[in-house]
Amino acid sequence: MQIAFLGTGLMGAPMVRNLAAAGHDLHIWNRSLDKAQALSGFATVYETPIEAVDGADIVITMLSNGPVTEHMLREQGVMAAAPSDAIFINMGSVEPDCDRHLSALAVSQAKHYLDAPVSGGVHGAEEATLTILVGGDKAVMDVVEPVLTVMGTPHYLGPAGSGQVAKLANQMIVAITIGAVAESFKLAESAGCDPALLRTALRGGFADSKILELHGKRMVDRDFEPGGRSSIQLKDLHNVLALAAESNLDLPMTVQAKNAFTDLVEQHNGGDLDHSAYYLWLERKAKI
């Protein structure tokens, strides 16, 4: 199957590798061309996204945000350039309304569209263990399910935009739990308890989680190279609160997490650090 993949950054690159290893014909584009060229051993690289989607059965987008995704597919004419009946799958994290609008655009052009954001970070992309949250036409999801399973485990959530709503729910839990783990480690450290020993002791109890396992280890090891950037976490929290405002929902813990990540990103140069750098943010605040 011919797949165009637009956006081969931290997440996109390992996803492309897994799709190529499964035997798919990959046609790729990335804004920074050198990142795409690094994959040229098993994918055809194009200088423009319009060239990449020519003849594609499936077009996967993995771009930084909603405005970028919509501008490329609508204003730049990338969706129009793809063949009739092409299936677009947006695997980036955007506002639910963005994907609802793009789904309607696809229908108007005799094409198909799914929102399918992912959870699992770079590690999940590399190991093909991503959780894939799918919204759109179930029949279309059934068609592309064999492709999605190459990258992880797809879950159908409902009509267009539902995958993005599920992703926002995921990001709320991730952000709040990262904050809880980081603050518990800092509390332990300040009282003379080794955070590494605390993490081991808590594993298997009620406080255990993937966040404690993976991001807790990052905090202990002081490894803040991005698997999921703090700037992206902050973008998702803004989208969560915008969606909540539509229903007059008050989400106080999410507001606190958003404020913390805002300070980390805007006042402590943390935008390009992993979101586990919440731990580092606590240290920098303490020094101030």
Side-chain angles (χ1 to χ4, degrees), residues 6 27-30 33 45-54 72 76 78:
L6 310 179
H27 297 244
I28 64 173
W29 170 88
N30 192 71
L33 192 60
V45 179
Y46 293 87
E47 293 189 1
T48 70
I50 285 180
E51 292 174 305
V53 303
D54 184 30
M72 176 180 291
Q76 288 187 250
V78 170

Side-chain angles (χ1 to χ4, degrees), residues 169-222:
N170 178 87
Q171 292 302 87
M172 292 170 64
I173 295 169
V174 168
I176 292 167
T177 308
I178 282 176
V181 170
E183 291 183 21
S184 70
F185 281 13
K186 273 297 160 194
L187 175 67
E189 185 178 46
S190 69
C193 177
D194 185 338
L197 297 178
L198 174 66
R199 173 179 169 273
T200 300
L202 295 180
R203 298 287 303 281
F206 279 176
D208 202 2
S209 67
K210 280 287 187 182
I211 299 297
L212 180 68
E213 176 189 351
L214 300 178
H215 292 296
K217 187 175 189 303
R218 281 178 167 275
M219 295 171 194
V220 168
D221 294 344
R222 305 188 66 79

Side-chain angles (χ1 to χ4, degrees), residues 108-132:
S108 74
Q109 296 183 2
K111 290 155 194 173
H112 311 281
Y113 192 94
L114 297 172
D115 50 291
V118 302
S119 177
V122 173
H123 178 77
E126 291 171 345
E127 299 298 318
T129 58
L130 293 169
T131 295
I132 304 171

Side-chain angles (χ1 to χ4, degrees), residues 247-263:
S247 301
N248 294 316
L249 284 177
D250 181 22
L251 304 174
M253 294 181 73
T254 304
V255 170
Q256 291 301 317
K258 186 269 292 183
N259 291 341
F261 278 100
T262 298
D263 195 52

